Amino acid sequence: GIDASFGVQNLNSIPARFPDDDELLESLKGFAKKCSAAYLQAIRDAKPKKPRKSGKMTREEICNFVDACNGLMMQDSTRQALREQYLKTNALPNQMVIEYQWEMLETLGVDKDWGVKCLNKIGQDFATDQMVHNKMQMFMNTAQDSCMKSQMSDEEVAKAEKEMRTNGDKMQAARAQQQEVHVSTSSI
């Protein structure tokens, strides 16, 4: 078999290695959505009967929560529901995103009110845990991105994602060039 870390690393490198292959990138996006949908179904199937309301959320619970929320935000059904809410109210669907997050806490067996209190203490409870901080940053970015995309048609979202990919490729190339300059000047 293939080592999971190796597989994930290679999948994550596809956009940088094949930035102009729209068909491959769409397939990768579809694969990621299906993986997330399977993960979401698995956690729904394993939902505890009674949510936890005491102690501290563990690192694993926080990571699972973030992964579940991010996976939910990438689902077409979620994007469509957020879009419909935006069209109905002409306002960003922030509250709807928050309600999805509460639902994920409960699905993972964490009382939503207690879970929110725990999440608000991450800075002190996980002060030196860079992975938790990175995951929380991704979580916040994904939630904001989902709200912003609710204002866009599917075509506008596809165009914006392609532009971001192109700009990301340009940034990566500039960093690589900067690295080469740094290496060549440091060896003088």
Side-chain angles (χ1 to χ4, degrees):
I2 295 176
D3 176 67
S5 297
F6 176 77
V8 168
Q9 183 179 9
N10 277 285
L11 288 172
N12 288 339
S13 73
I14 287 174
R17 290 182 12 228
F18 305 99
D20 299 323
D21 191 335
D22 291 339
E23 185 179 349
L24 177 61
L25 296 172
E26 273 305 304
S27 294
L28 178 64
K29 187 175 172 182
F31 176 72
K33 285 180 184 180
K34 287 179 181 170
C35 289
S36 290
Y39 174 67
L40 290 168
Q41 189 58 55
I43 63 171
R44 286 180 178 125
D45 291 346
K47 180 180 177 179
K49 293 191 187 324
K50 190 173 180 184
R52 194 159 72 85
K53 297 181 179 189
S54 62
K56 285 198 289 190
M57 281 181 74
T58 66
R59 182 181 204 254
E60 182 180 11
E61 285 174 318
I62 292 167
C63 291
N64 287 341
F65 166 72
V66 168
D67 290 343
C69 287
N70 290 349
L72 182 62
M73 291 297 114
M74 78 166 30
Q75 297 305 306
D76 291 334
S77 58
T78 304
R79 174 162 157 39
Q80 187 60 39
L82 294 174
R83 174 83 173 140
E84 288 171 8
Q85 181 68 16
Y86 171 77
L87 292 173
K88 183 174 143 186
T89 64
N90 203 30
L92 292 177
N94 296 326
Q95 186 60 39
M96 193 172 185
V97 169
I98 291 168
E99 289 169 11
Y100 280 139
Q101 293 165 355
W102 291 341
E103 177 188 330
M104 279 299 111
L105 283 168
E106 297 279 339
T107 300
L108 290 164
V110 174
D111 175 77
K112 71 175 183 173
D113 296 323
W114 175 75
V116 167
K117 288 178 186 174
C118 291
L119 292 170
N120 286 332
K121 293 181 185 175
I122 284 177
Q124 68 189 54
D125 292 344
F126 295 91
T128 61
D129 193 325
Q130 196 59 47
M131 183 180 155
V132 169
H133 290 277
N134 290 345
K135 286 233 178 222
M136 289 305 294
Q137 188 63 51
M138 261 181 29
F139 164 73
M140 290 185 290
N141 291 344
T142 301
Q144 289 173 344
D145 190 51
S146 296
C147 284
M148 296 307 292
K149 285 180 180 176
S150 73
Q151 301 173 84
M152 304 170 152
S153 68
D154 290 341
E155 295 79 22
E156 291 170 322
V157 169
K159 183 179 176 187
E161 287 175 348
K162 186 169 184 164
E163 286 175 10
M164 281 185 4
R165 225 177 21 250
T166 301
N167 290 337
D169 295 341
K170 288 177 186 174
M171 292 277 290
Q172 217 170 16
R175 283 190 193 115
Q177 191 174 25
Q178 186 179 26
Q179 187 79 13
E180 287 174 21
V181 170
H182 175 72
V183 169
S184 66
T185 57
S186 64
S187 60
I188 295 179

